[in-house]
């Protein structure tokens, strides 16, 4: 089978009748809300992101964690809190992303977190800067049951790569990728599905074809070209690509910039998923990097109580009429289905 077919089959293998019915209910209520322009909501979360840690070893320019601009304490998720969340949601949770801010492999029990969710028949994805993919960790990743591993690689030479991944070593990324592939072969494992993610910036946009070639030569399963989120973009930014096709932003007649997304009053994510920070705070989505919309805390309530709460309901209802007035949405390139 081709890589894409294997990937699709792996996702299908995680589905149960209950999960399928739950997704159908979520989508039906979402579409009904858009068409009738009145709030409807049925179902439980099908997708979830949990932040293993908000600690990071790099200092990427557009990352609030890397630049230390978020007024948050740093820490790691308690494994018992993690198990509590998974136990509550596993019967209808289809996809778990173990990432929000920070580097997941800095959590000392990251492989135990993955294994626990894997045993609950959940498709698991995580993302890494690949600075810790030594031989031992790579073997542990493959053995853990992780389904998808996204490796950030934003240049094909150290000079270009380190302009954004400040403090990172490109050789570790390459060697770490080889380690994962070696252990997949030795352990005869089809997972994790290995992805090279290339964040397009003005500093590296000339290397897009090169990264595609590198990924194919190394045998990774997929190469994803991703547009970069820029916080200070209105009057231009040295990181915005010159090729507008690889930018989330468009240049206006007056030389200012605006996001291409028209921000329609709808967002599938608000009906299907949410994010839980390492300390148990529930927020709407991954764009809420500064934790501006605290919808509740797992340490005080069950997740499902928060999911169905008046506060969460009011947030979704407001989005249906005034999405442009929600600050975290104004830099969003997604959520338009």
């Amino acid at each position: 089978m081709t890589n894409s077919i294997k990937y699709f089959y792996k996702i299908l293998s995680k589905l149960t009748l209950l999960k399928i019915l739950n997704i159908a209910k979520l989508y039906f209520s979402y579409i009904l809300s858009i068409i009738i322009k009145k709030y409807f909501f049925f179902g439980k979360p099908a997708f979830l992101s949990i932040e293993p840690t908000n600690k990071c070893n790099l200092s990427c320019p557009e990352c609030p964690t890397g630049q230390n601009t978020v007024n948050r304490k740093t820490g790691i998720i308690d494994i018992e809190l993690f198990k509590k969340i998974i136990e509550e949601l596993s019967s209808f949770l289809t996809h778990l992303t173990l990432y929000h801010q920070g580097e997941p492999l800095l959590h000392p029990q990251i492989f135990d977190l993955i294994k626990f969710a894997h045993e609950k028949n959940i498709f698991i994805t995580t993302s890494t800067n690949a600075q810790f993919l030594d031989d031992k960790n790579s073997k542990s990743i493959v053995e853990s049951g992780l389904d998808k591993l996204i490796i950030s690689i934003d240049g094909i030479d150290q000079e270009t790569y380190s302009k954004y991944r400040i403090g990172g070593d490109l050789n570790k990324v390459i060697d770490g990728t080889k380690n994962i592939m070696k252990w997949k072969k030795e352990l005869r494992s089809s997972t994790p599905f290995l992805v090279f993610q290339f964040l397009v910036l003005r500093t590296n946009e000339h290397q897009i074809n090169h990264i595609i070639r590198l990924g194919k030569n190394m045998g990774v399963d997929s190469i994803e070209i991703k547009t970069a989120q820029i916080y200070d973009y209105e009057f231009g930014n040295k990181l915005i690509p010159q090729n507008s096709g690889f930018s989330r932003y468009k240049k206006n007649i007056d030389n200012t910039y605006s996001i291409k997304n028209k921000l329609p009053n709808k967002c599938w994510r608000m009906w299907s998923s949410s994010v839980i920070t390492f300390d148990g705070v529930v927020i709407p989505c991954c764009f809420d990097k500064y934790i501006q919309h605290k919808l509740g805390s797992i340490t005080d309530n069950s997740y499902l109580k928060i999911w169905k709460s008046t506060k969460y309901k009011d947030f979704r209802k407001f989005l249906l009429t005034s999405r442009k007035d929600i600050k975290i949405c104004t830099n969003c390139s997604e959520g338009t289905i």
Side-chain angles (χ1 to χ4, degrees):
M1 290 189 290
T2 64
N3 291 337
S4 57
I5 294 175
K6 287 179 181 178
Y7 178 65
F8 185 64
Y9 177 78
K10 189 67 176 178
I11 294 176
L12 288 180
S13 70
K14 304 289 183 177
L15 293 177
T16 63
L17 180 59
L18 180 61
K19 291 180 181 181
I20 293 169
L21 289 174
N22 181 60
I23 293 172
K25 288 198 294 184
L26 288 169
Y27 196 69
F28 174 73
S29 62
Y30 170 65
I31 294 299
L32 193 62
S33 298
I34 294 170
I35 293 174
I36 300 181
K37 300 187 184 304
K38 184 178 178 181
Y39 178 77
F40 291 92
F41 190 79
F42 319 117
K44 299 170 182 177
F47 316 103
L48 185 70
S49 294
I50 298 179
E51 178 182 68
T53 179
N54 64 340
K55 298 178 181 180
C56 193
N57 54 306
L58 302 186
S59 303
C60 305
E62 289 299 315
C63 175
T65 297
Q67 293 300 303
N68 197 28
T69 58
V70 184
N71 186 23
R72 294 175 66 195
K73 64 178 181 179
T74 58
I76 62 172
I77 192 167
D78 179 76
I79 193 165
E80 295 306 318
L81 177 62
F82 179 83
K83 288 180 178 180
K84 173 190 172 184
I85 298 167
I86 299 302
E87 289 281 7
E88 183 183 8
L89 306 182
S90 61
S91 61
F92 42 84
L93 192 61
T94 302
H95 189 172
L96 172 67
T97 299
L98 279 174
Y99 174 73
H100 175 53
Q101 293 287 281
E103 168 52 50
L105 292 183
L106 285 174
H107 193 299
Q109 296 170 295
I110 186 63
F111 308 121
D112 294 326
L113 302 183
I114 296 169
K115 285 178 182 178
F116 186 80
H118 172 71
E119 290 168 358
K120 299 296 182 179
N121 197 39
I122 302 168
F123 189 95
I124 311 158
T125 297
T126 196
S127 178
T128 180
N129 58 39
Q131 299 301 293
F132 302 103
L133 291 180
D134 56 23
D135 194 65
K136 181 181 177 182
N137 283 342
S138 296
K139 182 183 180 184
S140 296
I141 284 176
V142 177
E143 290 177 329
S144 70
L146 181 70
D147 295 290
K148 180 179 178 181
L149 179 63
I150 300 170
I151 293 178
S152 296
I153 178 168
D154 305 322
I156 62 164
D157 58 79
Q158 180 62 31
E159 181 182 2
T160 302
Y161 170 81
S162 61
K163 285 180 180 177
Y164 189 76
R165 298 291 167 180
I166 297 174
D169 184 344
L170 180 61
N171 287 328
K172 288 185 177 180
V173 179
I174 301 298
D175 291 342
T177 302
K178 292 177 180 178
N179 286 335
I180 293 289
M181 295 179 70
K182 181 193 80 170
W183 282 111
K184 282 178 66 176
K185 184 177 180 180
E186 291 198 16
L187 297 172
R188 297 182 180 180
S189 174
S190 60
T191 56
F193 187 83
L194 200 55
V195 178
F196 265 0
Q197 182 174 274
F198 187 80
L199 194 65
V200 184
L201 307 156
R202 189 173 302 183
T203 54
N204 66 9
E205 60 183 315
H206 61 289
Q207 294 187 344
I208 292 175
N209 290 333
H210 299 284
I211 202 70
I212 293 173
R213 191 178 305 119
L214 176 64
K216 288 181 178 179
N217 289 340
M218 291 192 68
V220 300
D221 296 302
S222 179
I223 301 102
E224 295 180 357
I225 308 300
K226 185 179 180 181
T227 61
Q229 179 180 1
I230 307 295
Y231 282 91
D232 186 14
Y233 64 83
E234 186 177 355
F235 299 103
N237 188 295
K238 62 183 180 180
L239 290 175
I240 296 177
Q242 291 182 318
N243 186 333
S244 62
F246 295 107
S247 175
R248 298 185 187 186
Y249 313 96
K250 61 181 180 180
K251 192 173 184 179
N252 303 313
I253 297 175
D254 61 359
N255 289 323
T256 61
Y257 286 78
S258 58
I259 194 160
K260 293 176 181 177
N261 189 345
K262 297 183 184 299
L263 298 179
N265 291 325
K266 56 182 180 177
C267 180
W268 167 236
R269 286 190 181 193
M270 293 306 100
W271 266 252
S272 62
S273 66
S274 56
V275 174
I276 302 176
T277 63
F278 81 89
D279 49 354
V281 176
V282 178
I283 55 177
C285 76
C286 62
F287 281 88
D288 194 1
K289 293 180 172 64
Y290 287 89
I291 322 299
Q292 296 171 297
H293 300 278
K294 297 181 180 180
L295 301 170
S297 174
I298 302 298
T299 58
D300 301 323
N301 290 298
S302 71
Y303 176 87
L304 289 179
K305 188 173 182 180
I306 298 168
W307 178 251
K308 298 175 182 178
S309 68
T310 300
K311 194 169 187 178
Y312 217 142
K313 176 181 176 180
D314 289 344
F315 186 86
R316 295 187 188 103
K317 288 174 70 175
F318 188 77
L319 182 142
L320 283 172
T321 59
S322 309
R323 188 180 176 206
K324 291 181 179 179
D325 295 325
I326 302 175
K327 189 174 180 180
I328 62 171
C329 295
T330 58
N331 208 344
C332 179
S333 62
E334 304 177 54
T336 57
I337 66 169

